[in-house]
Amino acid sequence: MLRVNAFSLSSNDKTLIQNLSFSIADGHVLSIMGPSGIGKSSLLNFLSGTLSPSLTVSGEAFLNDIALHTQPTETRKVGLLQQMPLLFPHMSIIENLLFALPDKTRKPDRLPLAHDALKRLGMTDKANALPKDLSGGQQARVALLRTLLSQPDYLLLDEPFSKLDPALRRDVRAFVLAEIRQANIPALLVTHDSDDAKAMEGECLELSIVKF
Amino acid sequence: MPLKHIKWITGFITALLILPIAIGLVGTLLPAFHYFPPLGEYGFSVSPWINVFSQGEFYAGLKLTLITGIGAPILALWLALSLLAWGYQRPFFKKIEALLSPILAIPHAAIAIGLLFLLSPSGWLVRLFSPWLTGFERPPNWITVQDPYGASLIFALIIKEMPYLLFVMLAAMKSIQARESIHACQALGYSRFTLWRKVLIPQLYPIIRLPIFIVVAFSLTVVDLALVIGPNTPSTLAVTLFRWFNDPDLTMRYTASAGAIALMITIAMVLGGWELAHRAFSAATRCERSNGKRRGASDTLLGAGVIIGLITLVSAFTALILLPFWSLAKRWRFPDTLPSQWTWVNIERAAPLLMELSANTLIIALFATVIACGISLLMLETKRHQQKSSTNHEQQHAFDWLIYVPILLPQIGFLFGLHVLLIYLNLNGDLCAIIALHLMYVLPYVYLTLKGPYLAYNEDYLLQANRLNHRPWRHYISVKLAMLKPALFTAFAMGFSVSIAQYLPTLIAGEGRYSTLTTEAVAQAASGDRKQVGSMAMLQALFPVMVFWLAQIIPSRWTTWRLATKKRIIKAFTKKDKTCSA
């Protein structure tokens, strides 16, 4: 369970978000919508621990009642998926997946685990392909599985579908939701598209400009 | 790079950049006023200056320096602009663009030696037209190279500088939306050359101002090129100073130091004058630009520039092609266009010497360039951190101008000042000292080549890598640097070719104990042993071209090769397993 308490964000004395609180149960996706520039991405940066120092924030975040906001990024075990799939172009697909497996995974288990992930994608023939040989939809799916293989404790999705064409979007959305349910971790989705929010079958928060 | 203490690192590198410059300057300035502790001189006096100004050679040298040092950049700029205006975005011009980087990579001494073979009275050009056209049965009694007016030196400088300027201009074209301007002006009925002169060149010039200054400073101070193909007695000021510094009479050093300071002041004044002239010229032509005339006399000027520019490029290539001819010739009598007998003997005989020279050259270049790449990465990482934390992205970093100082200062004088430091440190004649001096000239080029791609790198890849698996140092290398391979390889090739071309740094730091292909080729250029000099110049040209070529092909194929090798290894292992179990 991911819980955010009284989150406020301001930039250059301009309040963007005030007193936002929510909680997300394991295996569920909370969607956040709102106009651009409202601070959606900053909320994700707050949760992942990469907030730019020029912004002022207050508020708390807890994962299973353990404080997150006091930890540095590297100990938070956060998974983040962005618009760009960010697959490493100089590594094959299987290498990209192996890259994400935690150190503690035993050596003989590593390759089978990565191959299992490929099988779930239905792309076993692409193990030695390079990211540039994959379609946009395939790249998005590999990127999600790569993130999940790193066994994050919670997942942040920053408009991960916006670069896909509409026909693909539906498939990828369903795939993402199914995988999140299987991994049984809380996920937060930031999007412009209300269809994204609907497809995630969870709560949806609309952020609007703070008025005084 | 997960760096800590950014401020300390920045300060340290800044000190590292400033220190040699400061010492070199002080080491030139003090002897210029007769203060030189190594020779037991502790009193200040202006006698070196009186000496300099009483030498006729100084004035003659200064005159030649000004003619060649101002003439060559102006002509090179004219030709480069003409070629660019003529060919920009035309399909065939891509081929010329592809030829630029080999010319850029080749050390200027090699090109000068090639020109010597081409243009001298017994050179290939005269041979080509003899005796059927000229009637010469023996080389004419002309002075074609090393002419007293410096014309051949200017030509050699243009061959080196025009491709460089063209290269810089092509890179700068991206930032001025040239294509749109060209279309708009053509739609208004402007001729190609006029629209370039009125619209594009005024936009282009401010961006390439600094590279032009580098070219001017280089032309005013070049020593090796002038030794090979420039006038002698009197020679250019830089060469005269070089002779004075090497004079067995050590007191000539004071005069030489004063002369070196005079040369620095000359550079500053020429650059100042250049800038003033540019401002005056653009102010004077401002009204004329909007007078609505669609074509003008400048079209002819740029058109002529195209023809001369092409001739220059062709001579550069012919000069380079001639280098191996000489090293493979057994018998090549005067009016013969080609050697009548060929042989490997020249190269075989010179092999031990060539091997030693190549080994020295490559070791120095390798170390200097690898260190330069490391320092450049460190500098760019601190710059990136600073850019990230400050809101003003255009803020100039100290590195950005400091890095140019060693290229703009005249090597002559400055390096002799540093030599005194090397003697104090007991490093004179040491290989480390040569590498350190090379580093000073390699670093700026490596840094500048790497800067654009490094700062444009999408940091999200690295952030994502560390989110997946937190190992900052390892991922810096295996993700960020691995993705920047093309830029890193190009920067390496650039640094490598700069190092191979160095003449004075090798000579001064090495005190003649370490010879490289460049120092030996320049020293023997005048010897007349064309076969040996040809071999040296050929190797000198070959190494940078090869490194540039490798830098082009390796990064794009690396991943494919790596995966193929991995596959083969895995296959071999599984086969072994199968045979074991069977």
Side-chain angles (χ1 to χ4, degrees):
Chain A
M1 164 113 101
L2 177 71
R3 190 155 54 82
V4 168
N5 250 350
F7 173 76
S8 300
L9 168 80
S10 55
S11 157
N12 299 331
D13 300 330
K14 196 175 150 234
T15 307
L16 294 168
I17 299 178
Q18 206 167 29
N19 243 346
L20 178 72
S21 300
F22 57 81
S23 64
I24 313 168
D26 289 346
H28 287 258
V29 184
L30 172 79
S31 308
I32 289 196
M33 295 190 46
S36 33
I38 190 96
K40 299 188 300 287
S41 295
S42 300
L43 171 61
L44 292 189
N45 289 337
F46 169 70
L47 287 171
S48 68
T50 50
L51 202 63
S52 127
S54 61
L55 297 167
T56 26
V57 288
S58 63
E60 301 166 311
F62 297 94
L63 182 77
N64 302 328
D65 295 321
I66 299 164
L68 277 179
H69 55 278
T70 52
Q71 294 181 28
T73 316
E74 54 264 32
T75 59
R76 291 192 190 195
K77 299 198 71 183
V78 55
L80 176 67
L81 216 55
Q82 286 152 302
Q83 276 186 16
M84 294 248 298
L86 295 175
L87 296 177
F88 306 129
H90 60 298
M91 297 184 191
S92 65
I93 298 303
I94 197 85
E95 283 172 337
N96 263 289
L97 294 172
L98 284 169
F99 184 95
L101 282 173
D103 295 349
K104 61 175 196 286
T105 317
R106 291 194 319 125
K107 211 169 172 205
D109 294 343
R110 295 180 74 87
L111 206 57
L113 269 173
H115 272 294
D116 271 357
L118 268 183
K119 215 174 279 168
R120 287 217 305 275
L121 291 167
M123 285 166 42
T124 38
D125 54 325
K126 299 276 199 241
N128 290 312
L130 289 175
K132 66 173 164 43
D133 305 326
L134 265 55
S135 69
Q138 286 174 322
Q139 287 189 22
R141 283 181 240 213
V142 173
L144 174 76
L145 269 194
R146 183 177 69 167
T147 302
L148 291 175
L149 278 180
S150 72
Q151 301 175 2
D153 287 342
Y154 60 107
L155 190 62
L156 305 173
L157 304 163
D158 192 356
E159 306 195 37
F161 313 119
S162 60
K163 285 262 170 95
L164 301 173
D165 54 75
L168 264 175
R169 225 177 271 183
R170 202 168 343 117
D171 295 348
V172 178
R173 278 185 200 130
F175 179 78
V176 168
L177 184 61
E179 288 296 331
I180 290 172
R181 282 183 174 156
Q182 209 198 334
N184 200 29
I185 51 170
L188 179 66
L189 169 74
V190 156
T191 181
H192 269 110
D193 184 348
S194 58
D195 289 343
D196 283 355
K198 255 179 251 156
M200 289 299 129
E201 301 174 7
E203 248 186 293
C204 180
L205 277 176
E206 286 262 4
L207 292 182
S208 51
I209 294 157
V210 180
K211 295 199 180 88
F212 292 94
Chain B
M1 232 185 275
L3 291 179
K4 284 172 189 157
H5 316 298
I6 299 288
K7 282 218 171 101
W8 285 98
I9 296 173
T10 312
F12 179 70
I13 295 177
T14 312
L16 217 61
L17 291 175
I18 290 178
L19 212 63
I21 298 169
I23 292 173
L25 282 178
V26 170
T28 320
L29 203 57
L30 292 181
F33 291 95
H34 216 270
Y35 179 90
F36 199 49
L39 291 184
E41 293 288 352
Y42 292 94
F44 282 92
S45 103
V46 287
S47 60
W49 291 91
I50 299 170
N51 276 340
V52 165
F53 291 128
S54 64
Q55 301 266 2
E57 244 183 319
F58 174 76
Y59 297 102
L62 187 63
K63 195 174 105 193
L64 275 172
T65 291
L66 289 176
I67 293 172
T68 53
I70 299 174
I74 289 180
L75 293 173
L77 187 61
W78 168 47
L79 299 182
L81 283 171
S82 308
L83 282 177
L84 186 69
W86 170 67
Y88 183 64
Q89 288 206 330
R90 289 188 174 170
F92 60 84
F93 200 59
K94 288 267 173 241
K95 289 191 187 110
I96 297 184
E97 283 179 51
L99 293 179
L100 285 181
S101 50
I103 300 191
L104 279 177
I106 290 168
H108 37 264
I111 290 185
I113 289 167
L115 278 181
L116 217 55
F117 292 173
L118 178 69
L119 300 177
S120 67
S122 62
W124 196 68
L125 201 62
V126 177
R127 285 165 189 257
L128 194 63
F129 295 105
S130 300
W132 56 274
L133 186 67
T134 58
F136 294 142
E137 289 296 338
R138 57 190 59 190
N141 197 10
W142 297 342
I143 300 174
T144 49
V145 286
Q146 303 200 305
D147 61 291
Y149 311 104
S152 53
L153 176 59
I154 290 181
F155 189 59
L157 282 169
I158 293 173
I159 284 188
K160 189 65 194 158
E161 288 164 357
M162 184 189 69
Y164 172 70
L165 287 175
L166 204 49
F167 183 79
V168 171
M169 285 171 187
L170 279 165
M173 289 311 285
K174 286 175 195 123
S175 55
I176 61 169
Q177 292 180 322
R179 184 197 280 267
E180 290 80 354
S181 300
I182 292 176
H183 286 311
C185 295
Q186 275 174 340
L188 289 170
Y190 278 90
S191 78
R192 192 171 175 102
F193 285 138
T194 301
L195 79 85
W196 269 85
R197 184 176 61 78
K198 290 188 170 179
V199 177
L200 290 172
I201 295 176
Q203 291 181 64
L204 188 61
Y205 184 84
I207 309 177
I208 58 166
R209 180 186 285 131
L210 201 57
I212 291 176
F213 281 7
I214 291 176
V215 164
V216 174
F218 177 81
S219 309
L220 288 167
T221 59
V222 67
V223 171
D224 43 1
L225 207 58
L227 276 174
V228 175
I229 206 166
N232 42 33
T233 57
S235 39
T236 60
L237 187 54
V239 174
T240 310
L241 293 176
F242 180 59
R243 229 179 30 247
W244 289 353
F245 269 114
N246 283 325
D247 201 290
D249 176 11
L250 285 175
T251 54
M252 268 316 267
R253 271 202 161 217
Y254 306 120
T255 318
S257 298
I261 298 288
L263 185 59
M264 277 182 211
I265 297 170
T266 309
I267 295 176
M269 278 169 36
V270 170
L271 290 182
W274 184 286
E275 183 57 23
L276 277 180
H278 164 246
R279 290 207 184 154
F281 183 75
S282 63
T285 51
R286 167 149 293 173
C287 295
E288 190 267 346
R289 267 184 246 155
S290 47
N291 66 1
K293 288 205 175 124
R294 263 49 170 176
R295 50 196 71 238
S298 64
D299 291 11
T300 329
L301 190 68
L302 288 174
V306 171
I307 295 165
I308 301 175
L310 287 177
I311 293 174
T312 313
L313 277 179
V314 170
S315 4
F317 266 93
T318 322
L320 288 173
I321 290 165
L322 284 177
L323 294 177
F325 275 71
W326 268 110
S327 45
L328 294 177
K330 186 176 182 191
R331 202 177 154 80
W332 197 356
R333 281 190 314 190
F334 173 65
D336 296 348
T337 312
L338 285 175
S340 51
Q341 282 172 302
W342 301 81
T343 177
W344 289 103
V345 169
N346 301 325
I347 294 184
E348 269 166 34
R349 202 179 35 207
L353 175 67
L354 290 177
M355 292 283 261
E356 192 205 320
L357 295 176
S358 304
N360 283 345
T361 309
L362 295 180
I363 287 171
I364 294 167
L366 189 70
F367 276 98
T369 314
V370 168
I371 298 171
C373 287
I375 297 178
S376 297
L377 289 176
L378 205 60
M379 288 166 70
L380 286 166
E381 186 66 14
T382 59
K383 188 177 156 72
R384 192 184 67 79
H385 273 281
Q386 185 226 26
Q387 261 185 0
K388 201 175 62 180
S389 55
S390 81
T391 42
N392 178 10
H393 279 271
E394 294 304 304
Q395 194 186 356
Q396 276 276 315
H397 198 284
F399 295 158
D400 287 331
W401 58 268
L402 211 52
I403 202 87
Y404 286 105
V405 177
I407 328 184
L408 286 172
L409 283 174
Q411 289 195 342
I412 190 87
F414 176 69
L415 284 180
F416 282 97
L418 267 181
H419 183 223
V420 179
L421 173 75
L422 292 177
I423 294 173
Y424 271 115
L425 293 174
N426 207 13
L427 278 173
N428 51 323
D430 199 276
L431 195 62
C432 294
I434 305 179
I435 293 171
L437 286 202
H438 274 233
L439 182 60
M440 225 168 54
Y441 294 97
V442 170
L443 184 62
Y445 291 98
V446 172
Y447 176 83
L448 292 171
T449 317
L450 210 50
K451 188 175 152 194
Y454 190 92
L455 295 178
Y457 177 76
N458 182 355
E459 205 68 15
D460 285 344
Y461 281 101
L462 189 58
L463 289 173
Q464 183 69 299
N466 283 326
R467 263 192 299 269
L468 292 170
N469 213 331
H470 190 78
R471 285 204 207 109
W473 272 106
R474 200 166 139 179
H475 293 162
Y476 177 74
I477 294 164
S478 71
V479 175
K480 183 165 182 174
L481 292 190
M483 285 175 71
L484 285 171
K485 263 195 297 272
L488 267 174
F489 274 67
T490 311
F492 180 86
M494 189 65 147
F496 205 79
S497 66
V498 169
S499 170
I500 288 184
Q502 294 305 318
Y503 173 71
L504 276 186
T506 321
L507 211 60
I508 291 172
E511 295 184 332
R513 274 175 244 180
Y514 289 91
S515 296
T516 61
L517 289 168
T518 303
T519 59
E520 206 57 27
V522 172
Q524 297 202 8
S527 72
D529 184 355
R530 288 190 175 174
K531 289 163 188 167
Q532 188 157 354
V533 173
S535 310
M536 281 187 247
M538 184 183 67
L539 281 180
Q540 203 198 1
L542 190 70
F543 287 128
V545 170
M546 242 169 60
V547 172
F548 258 94
W549 177 69
L550 289 176
Q552 288 285 315
I553 63 159
I554 293 179
S556 57
R557 291 170 177 75
W558 179 292
T559 304
T560 326
W561 286 342
R562 186 177 63 78
L563 291 176
T565 318
K566 202 172 150 188
K567 209 171 173 182
R568 207 169 300 150
I569 293 170
I570 291 171
K571 212 177 243 170
F573 268 97
T574 47
K575 210 180 264 172
K576 208 162 64 183
D577 281 354
K578 263 179 202 160
T579 48
C580 284
S581 57

